[in-house]
Amino acid sequence: MANRSGAAQRPNGQTQGKICQFKLVLLGESAVGKSSLVLRFVKGQFHEYQESTIGAAFLTQTICLDDTTVKFEIWDTAGQERYHSLAPMYYRGAQAAIVVYDITNQDTFGRAKTWVKELQRQASPNIVIALAGNKQDLANKRMVEYEEAQTYADENGLLFMETSAKTAMNVNDIFLAIAKKLPKNEQNAGQTGNNAQGRRLTEGDTGPKTAGNCCK
Amino acid sequence: MLASHQDVFNIVQAKFLAAEVVKSIHLNVSVVDGPSINSDRILALVEYNKSCALFVLISSRSQPISFSDLSIETVIPIDPNFSCETEPGAGQHYVILIIKYKQSRFQYNIEIGKDSCNFAAELIKSKEGSSNTNPNNNTWLEKYFGTMNNSNRNSDPVDQGELVVIRDGMVQGQTAINRESMLKYQLKLKEPEFTQKQEFSIFVGTWNVNGQPPTVSLRSWLSWDENPPDVYAVGLQEIDLSKEAFFFNDTPREAEWQKFVMDGLHPNAKYRLVALARLVGIQLAVMVNNQHYRYVKNVSFDTRGTGLLGMGNKGGVAVRLELHNTSLCFVNCHLAAHVEEFERRNQDYKDIDTRINFRKSPHEIKDHDQIYWLGDLNYRITDLNTSQVKTLLQRSEMNTLLKVDQLNQQKERGRVLVNYIEGDITFPPTYKFDLNSDTYDTSEKARPPAWTDRILWRGRGIHQVSYRSHMDIKMSDHKPVSSLFMSEISVVDPSKYRKVHEDLLKKMDKHENEFLPQVTVDQAEVTFELVKFREPQFKEIIIANTGVVPAEFEFIKKLDESSYCKDWLTIMPFCGSINPGEKCDVKLEVNLETDLETLYDILVLHLKGGKDMFITVNGHCQKSCITQTLSSLVRIQVPIMHLSKEELASALNNQGPIYYSVPRELWLLVDHLYRHGLRTRDLFESCALHEELIRIRDWLDFGSKDQIPGTPQAVAETFLLFLSYTKEPIIPFDLQDSCVAAANNFENCRQLILQKLNDIHRTAFLYICMFLQELLKYSNDNGYDAKTVASLFGDILLRDPIRNSKPQASRGKTNFVYNFLMNDLSSSLIPK
């Protein structure tokens, strides 16, 4: 009866340890370097002859920002045209996408634009899209001008960087830029477990997800 | 559309056996401090054979539609080990339900309302009913524990004394949780790498104010030291001795004293209150220098009454907090009075020490890096009367007195404050003085002076700088006591912390990625040779687990598809588990029953908790006359395989001249049966050899100078196959309902046939019926009667849009065909 207990007034403590989990998908023509970018980002490795991805590879990687920790669940999709129709399985529910093209191949840039259009039409409206002009180490064989891609990215509200999985240039940076741009407010907190790795977005789960699966 | 409470109730009940009765449910429950703030939990109280259990269910949808949307997260038996209580939750609409079972503790946020009242009532009723049941009655729960992951399935959790939280197929959910606790644990281990010790001055003061209201400045007590302390912990006892304070635990003195305390703090620094906790007259305030305030976190407090009914005239209050990376706990107590009651005091101490609970980890006093214990401990001096004590004090023989100090004696015997340290006492006893004087008790009772007011500590890195009493504050019968400590606080170096934190996360990522399931498939593309109608082919793919964990694989549906593969394909097995280093053969069977040019499908092989792999299946198909439309077939003069591509295309598009009134193949089959089968017993019932059917199919498709191969029964079966697999049934789908409706009247049926059926289908239909009439003339030989034949052909001529493995005879369809078997059809041949 005469007991009083509970939490006392709480000063503003440090907000360390807040982990936000996001699903990120890589899209783009085959052989532009999607898997290489992921391999560089996650394992710091580069293989000159990276096997073609037949399916959707899955890896996780965490990035620390100033006040939050962002954990990416990365789906690296197959680029071959025959698998195009399966891509929605992976970009649905994704909070971020990296659309990759090869700066030495104009066609892949055209294909990248088609992907961006498809994402804008079909993916979550809040999806953060980054455009990566990969193989920057081959700039002497460049077929896509930096300014052209930058202009396109600006017009479409995309993050844009030229990257090189081979030299690691801008690889961490592009993921970091995405992590910074993703909303991390708690209202958008979703159930990490449910959308998390390997969980399938099936028919009951078709609508675009609110971005930002944050959790504390 | 929102499902009602009753709907969900029914769905929850469906999750259990009929004898396991769901008594009550509570929706929209969330886990307190859980990884998710979603209110996706459902609490269900389930009873079986007088034994109850509380189930925590997770719904995969915001509103479950079927019981398969629900997975069981936790099962808590309601037996004598079960207890529950509530405390106020976030906001006035929520209450926190705290459930304890043996060592386990669960907290759920529930919304206050009618449902919560009903649920709580049922829960309490169950709990009361459980006191006389045997905990072994829980055996019915074992099967639910059995749905757990392998990692948890060590042995019966009920027997282990620990409840196991079930994560039904949620490997990733589990890693998410493990990940956070793992990170915390690893960070703690690596703390020395990113912290450095810094000395903080901590002022701890205690004073029994004897129920007096504050009147004098406390500066000479609280600001005794030259430099402003970093932290203050100020404990008061007996701030209010009124009955109101005792019975209602409410007193205006709290604010009054707190104001004097704040005013008394060191003038050379600004302080901010971290926590103020009070139990009746026992009050504890913790303040920190403003500049440290932002490094204080996880503050909480608890109080514990001892003595008379535990109501709080005696007892303790405790405040805990983390300053930088060091956890501090301050306990202010007022233990039982009277010289002879030292054992009662020991007991009070134990009660406070063990029963203070901060509601979140760490829960207990003992779990802190540094503990400061202060208060009116009330231990006296034994075996000496007042005058003896006073004499010794006058002779400054303090040590003699301290030897018979009860606290020192009890502590030495390990009865109280074990492992706590107290500094040397160099000040005279602080009790009992005449008010407003420095004179020890001159009243009739003349209590012997005693060191009732004490400060002790426990933990690493605590250095006592001074321990003293403050004689010049005279308004109480006690003098205030204080101690200044220089304590080592571990302070995080942000850049070092960041590096350690990041390294740990990287390590965990690496670990996590290494432990993802990995398999290889021996072929990414499976090509079938020429695929023919109803001639199954098999291919095998080998899935090999090349990873380090068991791989659970499953072929999964693509978006907007109803199955994980096309209907011409069967995958065996379509899901399974492969141990590291082992393989699994998966059989792909293709069986063509429709008219397709090519086969093409991409299978998605999903590894639970990991990647997906695509397997392309393709093959070319051979045309067959079976599976075509009648209107195409009547345009084909020769076996279908004799046609050139162009000829075939034009026939399939219903272009070009019509050569026959009924398809050539239909005529060939009927003609053969007419000549060789009418007297065959059970013509349509024997099962022909598969090869025989293939030979007949090829004979039709490729043509031959030879007679049609096979027995009459085989030809009859091919005839049925032909009719069953035409692209459109003889009586088209859209006409079937009208036919069934007209089935009772032949004239109506006849009119339907004449008016609605196109020429080609009508001719074929009547042709078949006339053949069947002919067949029935030989009933004595073949054993058929009109009803049987009508039933058999009703289901074929008016076949269902969806092919059932076992079509069920429909009376209407039978009757419809029956009409045409029993009546003269000559008039039906000519349209009006």
Side-chain angles (χ1 to χ4, degrees):
Chain A
M1 174 173 120
N3 277 4
R4 229 176 46 153
S5 64
Q9 64 178 108
R10 175 197 288 261
N12 295 323
Q14 292 147 297
T15 55
Q16 58 182 30
K18 181 177 166 186
I19 298 181
C20 296
Q21 202 153 307
F22 295 104
K23 179 179 171 188
L24 180 147
V25 62
L26 282 100
L27 298 166
E29 182 67 86
S30 67
V32 296
K34 296 180 293 300
S35 300
S36 295
L37 282 174
V38 176
L39 192 68
R40 171 61 78 186
F41 174 55
V42 173
K43 298 187 177 166
Q45 299 171 351
F46 178 76
H47 300 154
E48 196 69 52
Y49 299 100
Q50 176 70 33
E51 262 182 57
S52 173
T53 307
I54 301 173
F58 176 81
L59 286 165
T60 61
Q61 181 72 2
T62 311
I63 287 188
C64 296
L65 302 179
D66 288 336
D67 51 347
T68 48
T69 304
V70 168
K71 186 182 179 196
F72 283 121
E73 299 175 336
I74 305 165
W75 286 96
D76 168 27
T77 64
Q80 291 174 44
E81 185 49 39
R82 67 202 293 194
Y83 304 124
H84 179 186
S85 64
L86 297 167
M89 290 175 79
Y90 304 98
Y91 65 66
R92 273 201 200 176
Q95 288 98 13
I98 303 181
V99 177
V100 188
Y101 68 93
D102 171 357
I103 64 159
T104 70
N105 183 334
Q106 182 73 41
D107 291 347
T108 65
F109 183 55
R111 189 73 191 83
K113 289 179 177 174
T114 322
W115 277 118
V116 169
K117 250 183 241 154
E118 182 169 337
L119 287 174
Q120 287 168 341
R121 219 174 40 243
Q122 316 243 36
S124 157
N126 305 321
I127 192 167
V128 173
I129 306 174
L131 181 68
N134 195 35
K135 307 197 187 176
Q136 197 281 339
D137 50 294
L138 302 176
N140 56 343
K141 295 180 188 161
R142 171 190 294 282
M143 298 299 287
V144 183
E145 290 308 320
Y146 183 91
E147 291 71 23
E148 183 189 358
Q150 182 69 64
T151 308
Y152 170 74
D154 289 346
E155 285 166 2
N156 287 275
L158 316 177
L159 291 166
F160 170 64
M161 286 186 199
E162 284 196 349
T163 58
S164 168
K166 188 170 181 173
T167 66
M169 186 187 104
N170 276 344
V171 176
N172 285 337
D173 309 66
I174 197 162
F175 282 93
L176 191 63
I178 293 169
K180 283 182 178 161
K181 198 174 170 186
L182 282 163
K184 286 167 280 286
N185 49 328
E186 284 181 52
Q187 273 77 36
N188 287 339
Q191 192 184 359
T192 318
N194 242 350
N195 250 354
Q197 60 190 66
R199 277 294 278 221
R200 179 75 22 220
L201 296 162
T202 44
E203 79 277 31
D205 213 356
T206 44
K209 288 262 177 223
T210 41
N213 272 347
C214 274
C215 70
K216 255 189 126 172
Chain B
M1 198 181 72
L2 284 179
S4 73
H5 189 273
Q6 185 61 40
D7 291 342
V8 179
F9 187 93
N10 294 339
I11 292 165
V12 171
Q13 177 64 69
K15 185 86 186 162
F16 296 94
L17 303 180
E20 296 166 351
V21 180
V22 176
K23 313 249 307 184
S24 183
I25 61 169
H26 199 287
L27 307 180
N28 306 330
V29 174
S30 65
V31 179
V32 176
D33 291 332
S36 151
I37 60 156
N38 275 6
S39 299
D40 57 356
R41 303 298 203 277
I42 298 172
L43 300 181
L45 189 62
V46 184
E47 186 183 53
Y48 172 78
N49 194 17
K50 290 184 184 163
S51 151
C52 279
L54 181 67
F55 284 77
V56 184
L57 305 162
I58 305 180
S59 176
S60 59
R61 298 172 197 270
S62 58
Q63 291 281 344
I65 296 170
S66 96
F67 70 90
S68 60
D69 295 334
L70 301 172
S71 54
I72 296 172
E73 183 186 44
T74 310
V75 183
I76 311 167
I78 300 180
D79 59 25
N81 294 312
F82 178 98
S83 70
C84 67
E85 59 186 275
T86 57
E87 65 172 73
Q92 54 183 352
H93 300 300
Y94 287 89
V95 61
I96 297 173
L97 178 67
I98 302 165
I99 291 158
K100 293 181 197 160
Y101 189 88
K102 294 188 183 172
Q103 312 301 320
S104 304
R105 183 186 165 93
F106 305 88
Q107 298 188 78
Y108 299 101
N109 249 323
I110 61 179
E111 203 175 343
I112 299 169
K114 196 172 96 257
D115 290 348
S116 60
C117 294
N118 293 343
F119 187 80
E122 283 291 342
L123 194 62
I124 289 161
K125 224 165 45 179
S126 307
K127 166 67 188 156
E128 283 165 3
S130 74
S131 50
N132 39 23
T133 58
N134 179 353
N136 295 333
N137 274 357
N138 290 333
T139 46
W140 65 283
L141 294 172
E142 278 169 17
K143 58 181 176 293
Y144 295 110
F145 289 120
T147 58
M148 295 177 287
N149 277 344
N150 291 337
S151 53
N152 287 340
R153 200 186 290 146
N154 294 328
S155 61
D156 184 352
V158 178
D159 285 344
Q160 280 181 345
E162 284 281 334
L163 274 175
V164 183
V165 175
I166 301 166
R167 311 226 156 255
D168 197 7
M170 283 180 55
V171 179
Q172 64 292 338
Q174 198 166 34
T175 51
I177 286 157
N178 285 348
R179 201 181 153 92
E180 284 203 27
S181 55
M182 185 59 132
L183 185 64
K184 237 182 187 169
Y185 171 71
Q186 295 278 354
L187 276 172
K188 189 80 198 163
L189 289 183
K190 289 189 178 281
E191 195 179 288
E193 291 179 29
F194 59 84
T195 57
Q196 56 196 42
K197 302 285 182 207
Q198 263 180 36
E199 286 206 324
F200 279 65
S201 54
I202 299 180
F203 179 100
V204 178
T206 176
W207 186 24
N208 183 324
V209 300
N210 188 228
Q212 310 292 327
T215 49
V216 298
S217 164
L218 307 180
R219 278 269 164 96
S220 61
W221 170 36
L222 300 175
S223 304
W224 179 264
D225 301 292
E226 189 185 337
N227 295 317
D230 295 305
V231 180
Y232 272 104
V234 180
L236 302 173
Q237 302 86 32
E238 295 191 358
I239 64 165
D240 193 339
L241 297 174
S242 69
K243 281 196 183 69
E244 290 74 21
F246 181 57
F247 284 109
F248 304 110
N249 194 21
D250 188 26
T251 170
R253 294 281 173 81
E254 174 178 316
E256 290 168 27
W257 271 107
Q258 183 54 24
K259 184 178 181 306
F260 270 72
V261 167
M262 293 305 282
D263 290 346
L265 302 183
H266 207 289
N268 294 348
K270 293 238 177 305
Y271 291 92
R272 203 156 161 187
L273 180 68
V274 170
L276 176 63
R278 187 177 58 80
L279 170 71
V280 190
I282 310 166
Q283 179 162 322
L284 174 64
V286 176
M287 282 72 57
V288 297
N289 188 323
N290 259 355
Q291 59 179 342
H292 303 308
Y293 188 73
R294 66 197 207 90
Y295 302 107
V296 172
K297 56 182 188 285
N298 296 330
V299 178
S300 60
F301 68 82
D302 191 22
T303 65
R304 181 60 58 189
T306 61
L308 179 66
L309 299 176
M311 279 165 75
N313 59 327
K314 295 290 188 294
V317 301
V319 169
R320 62 97 46 205
L321 59 107
E322 274 148 46
L323 177 58
H324 289 278
N325 243 33
T326 299
S327 60
L328 306 177
C329 183
F330 299 97
V331 188
N332 175 22
C333 70
H334 190 189
L335 307 184
H338 306 299
V339 179
E340 65 284 1
E341 292 283 11
F342 60 88
E343 279 180 353
R344 177 79 236 166
R345 289 189 271 281
N346 293 349
Q347 187 55 46
D348 285 356
Y349 157 76
K350 277 189 193 113
D351 284 352
I352 296 166
D353 187 41
T354 53
R355 293 175 64 196
I356 287 273
N357 185 328
F358 295 110
R359 298 293 189 280
K360 55 183 170 185
S361 184
H363 293 286
E364 294 184 44
I365 293 172
K366 65 176 169 50
D367 300 328
H368 290 80
D369 296 328
Q370 299 183 356
I371 308 163
Y372 300 87
W373 197 292
L374 54 131
D376 178 357
L377 277 62
N378 245 331
Y379 288 94
R380 310 299 170 89
I381 285 167
T382 21
D383 305 331
L384 294 176
N385 64 32
T386 307
S387 63
Q388 288 171 309
V389 172
K390 285 187 175 169
T391 313
L392 283 167
L393 280 173
Q394 276 159 6
R395 291 198 220 135
S396 296
E397 291 193 33
M398 294 253 288
N399 285 342
T400 317
L401 277 177
L402 284 166
K403 272 181 200 145
V404 287
D405 170 72
Q406 283 176 339
L407 177 60
N408 290 345
Q409 289 176 337
Q410 293 301 309
K411 223 170 113 24
E412 225 163 77
R413 286 177 203 157
R415 308 293 300 276
V416 69
L417 286 159
V418 179
N419 295 330
Y420 279 81
I421 302 168
E422 189 183 23
D424 291 337
I425 294 179
T426 55
F427 51 86
T430 50
Y431 176 78
K432 172 180 181 152
F433 292 92
D434 290 342
L435 295 187
N436 301 312
S437 79
D438 286 336
T439 318
Y440 285 111
D441 190 11
T442 55
S443 71
E444 252 178 64
K445 287 187 185 167
R447 291 190 182 82
W451 283 284
T452 50
D453 308 285
R454 314 284 278 260
I455 295 168
L456 298 91
W457 73 90
R458 188 179 145 179
R460 268 177 306 170
I462 303 172
H463 310 288
Q464 193 174 47
V465 179
S466 63
Y467 189 22
R468 64 262 163 144
S469 66
H470 301 266
M471 295 298 283
D472 52 331
I473 294 183
K474 302 172 202 264
M475 50 176 274
S476 166
D477 57 350
H478 289 253
K479 299 292 176 195
V481 169
S482 72
S483 173
L484 186 71
F485 295 95
M486 292 305 286
S487 300
E488 288 178 358
I489 299 294
S490 94
V491 177
V492 175
D493 178 325
S495 66
K496 282 184 187 163
Y497 171 81
R498 219 185 140 112
K499 190 173 178 325
V500 169
H501 184 232
E502 232 173 284
D503 286 352
L504 272 177
L505 286 172
K506 288 242 158 68
K507 228 165 138 185
M508 284 167 66
D509 281 336
K510 187 165 174 274
H511 189 261
E512 222 167 273
N513 286 329
E514 275 168 6
F515 280 82
L516 286 174
Q518 294 296 346
V519 303
T520 56
V521 177
D522 64 334
Q523 44 199 320
E525 188 150 356
V526 177
T527 305
F528 286 95
E529 285 84 49
L530 196 59
V531 181
K532 302 168 185 173
F533 174 76
R534 297 254 297 180
E535 205 176 325
Q537 281 186 39
F538 299 94
K539 292 275 178 188
E540 236 174 34
I541 54 171
I542 301 166
I543 307 175
N545 186 340
T546 53
V548 293
V549 291
E552 283 184 57
F553 71 87
E554 183 182 4
F555 287 91
I556 57 165
K557 275 192 283 194
K558 297 180 277 287
L559 290 176
D560 311 321
E561 290 199 10
S562 56
S563 174
Y564 55 86
C565 67
K566 295 276 179 5
D567 56 5
W568 41 262
L569 190 68
T570 312
I571 306 175
M572 288 272 288
F574 74 95
C575 66
S577 179
I578 312 170
N579 284 328
E582 291 180 3
K583 291 177 180 176
C584 178
D585 297 343
V586 174
K587 202 198 269 179
L588 305 182
E589 177 186 348
V590 58
N591 188 17
L592 185 67
E593 294 191 330
T594 49
D595 180 44
L596 289 174
E597 291 291 324
T598 53
L599 301 180
Y600 185 75
D601 197 5
I602 299 174
L603 308 177
V604 182
L605 174 63
H606 173 62
L607 302 184
K608 203 167 179 182
K611 65 178 177 178
D612 291 356
M613 303 176 83
F614 299 156
I615 298 161
T616 307
V617 178
N618 53 32
H620 279 280
C621 305
Q622 179 177 292
K623 280 279 162 205
S624 174
C625 62
I626 311 177
T627 69
Q628 305 303 331
T629 61
L630 298 183
S631 55
S632 300
L633 291 173
V634 294
R635 289 177 164 89
I636 301 175
Q637 229 179 338
V638 293
I640 197 166
M641 296 306 288
H642 291 190
L643 293 178
S644 70
K645 249 189 186 157
E646 294 72 31
E647 288 169 326
L648 183 63
S650 103
L652 295 183
N653 289 325
N654 295 335
Q655 285 160 354
I658 292 175
Y659 295 106
Y660 300 118
S661 50
V662 295
R664 177 183 156 273
E665 291 78 8
L666 181 59
W667 179 83
L668 283 168
L669 293 167
V670 168
D671 180 63
H672 185 85
L673 292 175
Y674 182 73
R675 282 190 277 137
H676 302 289
L678 293 179
R679 292 175 191 276
T680 307
R681 191 146 197 98
D682 297 336
L683 181 65
F684 295 113
E685 255 132 277
S686 59
C687 246
L689 289 174
H690 192 237
E691 294 78 30
E692 246 181 321
L693 297 177
I694 288 169
R695 275 203 299 278
I696 298 170
R697 182 202 70 200
D698 285 349
W699 186 87
L700 291 170
D701 287 341
F702 288 90
S704 166
K705 291 202 175 73
D706 300 332
Q707 246 219 346
I708 192 162
T711 60
Q713 281 104 328
V715 175
E717 195 169 339
T718 310
F719 172 59
L720 296 180
L721 275 179
F722 178 88
L723 297 176
S724 302
Y725 285 95
T726 49
K727 223 169 236 172
E728 265 185 333
I730 308 296
I731 305 293
F733 299 125
D734 58 0
L735 213 57
Q736 292 184 4
D737 284 346
S738 321
C739 292
V740 169
N744 289 334
N745 182 312
F746 172 62
E747 187 50 30
N748 291 350
C749 293
R750 205 178 64 93
Q751 289 304 327
L752 256 178
I753 294 298
L754 286 174
Q755 288 165 16
K756 297 282 163 84
L757 209 56
N758 73 34
D759 289 351
I760 296 167
H761 278 254
R762 184 175 56 246
T763 313
F765 177 73
L766 293 172
Y767 178 67
I768 293 161
C769 290
M770 287 163 91
F771 162 68
L772 295 177
Q773 287 195 357
E774 199 60 30
L775 181 85
L776 289 171
K777 290 179 184 162
Y778 298 87
S779 290
N780 288 342
D781 297 315
N782 57 36
Y784 281 107
D785 60 59
K787 276 281 171 208
T788 312
V789 171
S791 160
L792 174 63
F793 280 82
D795 279 320
I796 291 173
L797 300 176
L798 290 84
R799 72 163 194 261
D800 286 334
I802 299 156
R803 204 176 296 281
N804 292 327
S805 53
K806 224 177 188 172
Q808 288 187 335
S810 140
R811 183 189 279 271
K813 291 176 181 179
T814 304
N815 289 347
F816 177 78
V817 174
Y818 186 75
N819 285 315
F820 291 90
L821 301 184
M822 302 310 289
N823 288 287
D824 179 19
L825 298 180
S826 51
S827 61
S828 309
L829 291 169
I830 309 128
K832 268 185 197 159

